[in-house]
Amino acid sequence: MNRSRPEVLVLALAVFLAVIGGGQPLLESFSGGGPLGIFLGDAALIRTHRALLGLLVFGGIAWMIYRDRALSTPRPIIQLALIGTVAFPAFSMMAGRYRAAGVDELLNLILCAGCLLLAGLAAGRKSGPWIIVGAAVAGAGIVGLRGLFEYLSIRSVEPTYRIFAGWSNPNAVAGLYLACLPAALALSVSDRRSARIVGLIAGPMCLCGLLLTQSKGGLLAGVIGLVAFAVVAAIWLRPKLPTWGAWAALLALGGGLFGFTQFAPVDSNAAAGPGLNRIVGATGEAEQSGGFRLLLWQTSVRLIAEQPWGWGPGSFRFISAKPGLVTQTVTAHQNWLQTAVEGGLAALISLLILAGAWFKCAFTGARAMTDEQNLLRAGIVASVVAIGAHGFIESSFAYLGMGVLTFTLLGIGLQVSSDGLSPEPRN
């Protein structure tokens, strides 16, 4: 019996719930939703959802501190960078004018940091990482299934429809799918039967869901993640031809599932075009979207130059029109710039140091690890690469589900690396 199993299950449950119900930004303008408000955007129920996640995560941390005298924690550089990633936005909030919005965003950030810490404390190196990553991928698979039924229910009248799958918008849920796809590939060839089942079922769902979002940036980041997985797996694992064949079959199954959706009946009065119409055409729409993002990034740079210590978490939607380049917009469509705008340059530097130190740990000592550990590590590294790439064109951290998933993967990545924690985990 894995001694850390209760904490592992707590974190696995938290990540699973975050992935399924964490796809809405907390805006006070959202209302309604009834008993399913967690999934539909009701502000009060979103806070209840976050409180439940916080209870699970920090309850798990408190229990482990109470129970154990020696705990594995991240290396000092990672600890300091993580503290800075939270502390500097807190300072900018206290000095800013948008404290009400800042409190919610800061609580989200604290919860994400807690997920990294609990992963470092609880996961171990045996079954724990597989259980937690499997829970995240299973949640993404359920969201993918929801998106599939959503598309089939409306295809007859709108075959070019882009799925939401319970998240705020198609680009947001695309971030979830592309983040979990490389991890699903790792699970799909594991020697652990339960992990393999999750990977083989959820992987195609994630790929089909990603295609149905018709998110160009999401597809590009997804391809980057898959390429990263192929490269890292080839270096660390030297997989044989049957393994490559299994991965190719899984991706083909996801593509085939998408193809199946295109054979559903369409009304004669419906708009013409396949489910990927937005990807293969609509050049004018693409130019408009790209142009708007460019203006948002220019806006972000001007706001950073005006107040380099940050405007406060959650403030972008209030100040985005200030430079006069765009109308009021909720996000900067860029994780890195939005971090600098709201938390200040110091917060961005802390996040970059955290990312750099994490990758250094993740790529160190592969030969000292088992093939099982390197398999999972390859999936996690590729998922983090995909998330980072997507962050250059979307503010994916505006959604609690993506934040919890990302920081949990970072924590698990430290667990399955050779030098990410001190002292070394005992299991």
Side-chain angles (χ1 to χ4, degrees):
M1 177 68 69
N2 188 340
R3 185 168 180 248
S4 63
R5 185 171 179 80
E7 294 78 19
V8 167
L9 294 178
V10 164
L11 182 55
L13 177 60
V15 175
F16 179 79
L17 293 176
V19 165
I20 290 179
Q24 296 286 352
L26 186 50
L27 302 178
E28 292 297 337
S29 59
F30 288 172
S31 61
L36 296 180
I38 287 177
F39 303 95
L40 301 178
D42 180 79
L45 289 176
I46 290 177
R47 289 192 175 97
T48 302
H49 180 242
R50 182 182 62 198
L52 174 60
L53 298 181
L55 180 63
L56 291 170
V57 171
F58 290 104
I61 293 174
W63 169 247
M64 292 203 69
I65 293 175
Y66 170 77
R67 190 190 67 182
D68 295 335
R69 293 184 178 180
L71 297 171
S72 299
T73 56
R75 293 294 176 183
I77 182 64
I78 294 179
Q79 292 185 47
L80 290 175
L82 185 62
I83 291 172
T85 302
V86 176
F88 289 117
F91 294 151
S92 67
M93 181 189 74
M94 296 304 296
R97 297 165 46 191
Y98 309 101
R99 297 180 186 177
V103 169
D104 277 319
E105 297 297 331
L106 188 62
L107 288 175
N108 288 352
L109 189 55
I110 292 172
L111 175 58
C112 293
C115 289
L116 189 155
L117 292 177
L118 182 56
L121 292 173
R125 284 185 172 172
K126 295 182 180 179
S127 61
W130 292 93
I131 293 172
I132 296 167
V133 174
V137 173
I142 292 174
V143 176
L145 182 62
R146 177 176 181 173
L148 174 63
F149 282 116
E150 177 186 336
Y151 178 77
L152 291 176
S153 70
I154 202 171
R155 169 176 162 77
S156 62
V157 295
E158 181 52 73
T160 61
Y161 177 77
R162 303 178 65 195
I163 64 170
F164 289 68
W167 279 53
S168 176
N169 59 74
N171 292 331
V173 75
L176 171 66
Y177 295 140
L178 66 89
C180 290
L181 186 55
L185 291 176
L187 295 176
S188 67
V189 295
S190 168
D191 291 334
R192 300 171 183 270
R193 185 184 177 202
S194 57
R196 191 164 60 250
I197 292 173
V198 169
L200 290 173
I201 295 176
M205 288 295 176
C206 288
L207 179 56
C208 179
L210 179 59
L211 292 171
L212 289 175
T213 64
Q214 297 191 64
S215 171
K216 294 185 177 180
L219 285 170
L220 176 60
V223 170
I224 291 173
L226 292 176
V227 171
F229 179 77
V231 171
V232 176
I235 295 173
W236 288 346
L237 300 170
R238 301 180 185 272
K240 297 180 180 180
L241 187 60
T243 302
W244 288 111
W247 286 331
L250 187 150
L251 295 176
L253 183 59
L257 188 60
F258 169 79
F260 167 77
T261 66
Q262 303 307 299
F263 287 99
V266 178
D267 291 347
S268 58
N269 295 327
L276 288 179
N277 186 61
R278 183 175 182 271
I279 303 298
V280 299
T283 303
E285 180 184 349
E287 291 178 353
Q288 182 180 7
S289 177
F292 182 68
R293 277 179 168 81
L294 182 59
L295 290 176
L296 280 173
W297 299 341
Q298 293 174 351
T299 294
S300 300
V301 171
R302 294 189 183 186
L303 291 172
I304 294 168
E306 182 176 347
Q307 197 158 296
W309 57 89
W311 296 80
S315 61
F316 188 83
R317 64 180 181 265
F318 302 111
I319 60 174
S320 53
K322 186 178 176 64
L325 298 179
V326 296
T327 57
Q328 190 174 23
T329 308
V330 175
T331 68
H333 284 275
Q334 232 260 21
N335 278 336
W336 311 99
L337 286 175
Q338 184 145 353
T339 296
V341 170
E342 297 185 346
L345 287 174
L348 175 60
I349 292 171
S350 297
L351 184 60
L352 291 173
I353 292 174
L354 175 62
W358 185 86
F359 274 107
K360 183 178 183 299
C361 291
F363 280 91
T364 300
R367 293 182 179 180
M369 311 301 289
T370 66
D371 286 344
E372 181 184 63
Q373 290 170 328
N374 280 331
L375 173 62
L376 184 58
R377 184 159 59 147
I380 291 173
V381 166
S383 290
V384 172
V385 168
I387 293 170
H390 194 233
F392 280 99
I393 49 179
E394 291 294 338
S395 295
S396 55
F397 289 168
Y399 311 98
L400 182 59
M402 277 303 301
V404 167
L405 173 64
T406 301
F407 280 78
T408 300
L409 289 177
L410 293 178
I412 298 298
L414 294 176
Q415 279 284 6
V416 296
S417 68
S418 63
D419 193 34
L421 300 169
S422 178
E424 293 298 319
R426 294 171 294 178
N427 49 30

